Amino acid sequence: MNGKTILITGGTSGIGKALAEHLVKTGHHVIITGRNQDRINQVTQSLGCDGYVADSANPAQLKQLAATLQADNIRLDGLVLNAGVFYPDSVLSTTEEAFDLTMNINTKGPWMTLQQLHPVLNNPSSVVFVSSIAVTNAFASAAIYSASKAAFEAIALVANLELAADGIRINSVRPGVTATEIQSKAGMTADQQSELFGSMHTTALGRVMSAEDQIGAISFLLSDQSLAMRNAVLEVNGGYGL
């Protein structure tokens, strides 16, 4: 996989940033999106990639992103739908606001990003959705998060049929518990994070995973080696639940 142009949503932190750094180092043109211009500027200058403000919960910004790429004659070989949020709460306590925001960013956001960027996707091209093992494993306080990830996987299932003639393939990676900024953004305290990460010592891997642990699976799905794969799911879970 050499010299591809790949856009990563939510590329200013966590898995998205780690992937962007890896792809730049291996010779690809990388474009990241994020919600904060200052943060985008910091990351793009550090990594040597391009970046645009495009909040997955803001349809106008997603439409503007597509228009800008088309105006600049940028074509994409890969699209990583990585932007996501996690607001832990119980089924009975989750607010309507938290439900709507989670669905807007984790489900509507990647759907609309795929829809809007369809005109700039090459034939062939690879779309990779960063999902979660919460789709198939029950975690307390993660019901809405789980539903939001599962919902887009269902969209991807049908989109693989509808976009097949355009040479677009869509596959998913389901990370297990991975230590990134998402835990602190979710409101978890340092002690809560330490307890969660410590519990991963009982997995086959023997530790909590890092963002870098997810890079291999995503890179493979972006590469030409995955040309025959459609709606495949790669779980990178460190052996959780074995």
Side-chain angles (χ1 to χ4, degrees):
M1 186 174 72
N2 295 312
K4 293 183 181 292
T5 298
I6 299 166
L7 187 145
I8 305 167
T9 68
T12 61
S13 63
I15 293 172
K17 182 183 176 184
L19 178 65
E21 182 175 10
H22 169 76
L23 292 175
V24 168
K25 287 181 178 179
T26 50
H28 303 289
H29 175 206
V30 175
I31 303 167
I32 63 169
T33 67
R35 292 184 283 184
N36 181 280
Q37 184 67 66
D38 290 340
R39 179 62 176 161
I40 291 172
N41 291 343
Q42 179 184 358
V43 174
T44 55
Q45 291 171 12
S46 172
L47 301 186
C49 60
D50 296 324
Y52 299 92
V53 172
D55 185 344
S56 290
N58 189 324
Q61 290 184 358
L62 296 177
K63 291 176 182 178
Q64 182 57 53
L65 172 64
T68 299
L69 294 178
Q70 288 180 285
D72 292 341
N73 198 31
I74 294 175
R75 305 283 302 178
L76 300 178
D77 302 297
L79 171 61
V80 182
L81 300 169
N82 167 73
V85 294
F86 174 43
Y87 300 114
D89 210 343
S90 72
V91 172
L92 298 182
S93 301
T94 297
T95 64
E96 183 178 359
E97 179 184 15
F99 179 97
D100 289 344
L101 185 56
T102 300
M103 290 297 181
N104 280 340
I105 294 177
N106 292 2
T107 306
K108 181 180 177 181
W111 159 70
M112 194 164 192
T113 301
L114 175 61
Q115 183 187 70
Q116 293 299 314
L117 297 189
H118 174 260
V120 300
L121 287 171
N122 281 327
N123 182 351
S125 60
S126 173
V127 177
V128 181
F129 176 55
V130 179
S131 186
S132 170
I133 64 167
V135 170
T136 54
N137 293 266
F139 293 90
S141 300
I144 309 308
Y145 175 75
S146 173
S148 69
K149 293 293 188 177
F152 186 80
E153 285 195 22
I155 292 172
L157 176 66
V158 178
N160 267 301
L161 289 178
E162 295 182 351
L163 303 181
D166 300 323
I168 297 170
R169 64 189 186 277
I170 308 171
N171 298 291
S172 298
V173 170
R174 289 182 187 159
V177 176
T178 304
T180 68
E181 293 90 336
I182 196 170
Q183 285 88 18
S184 59
K185 290 179 179 177
M188 294 180 66
T189 66
D191 287 343
Q192 289 172 326
Q193 292 180 60
S194 179
E195 181 179 358
L196 173 64
F197 300 158
S199 69
M200 295 299 106
H201 292 162
T202 61
T203 65
L205 182 63
R207 60 170 174 80
V208 68
M209 290 180 293
S210 68
E212 288 74 18
D213 289 318
Q214 305 298 329
I215 290 173
I218 300 173
S219 296
F220 168 71
L221 291 177
L222 289 170
S223 76
D224 291 343
Q225 291 179 311
S226 68
L227 278 172
M229 298 174 70
R230 300 292 189 281
N231 209 57
V233 175
L234 301 182
E235 288 204 355
V236 185
N237 60 17
Y240 178 87
L242 290 179

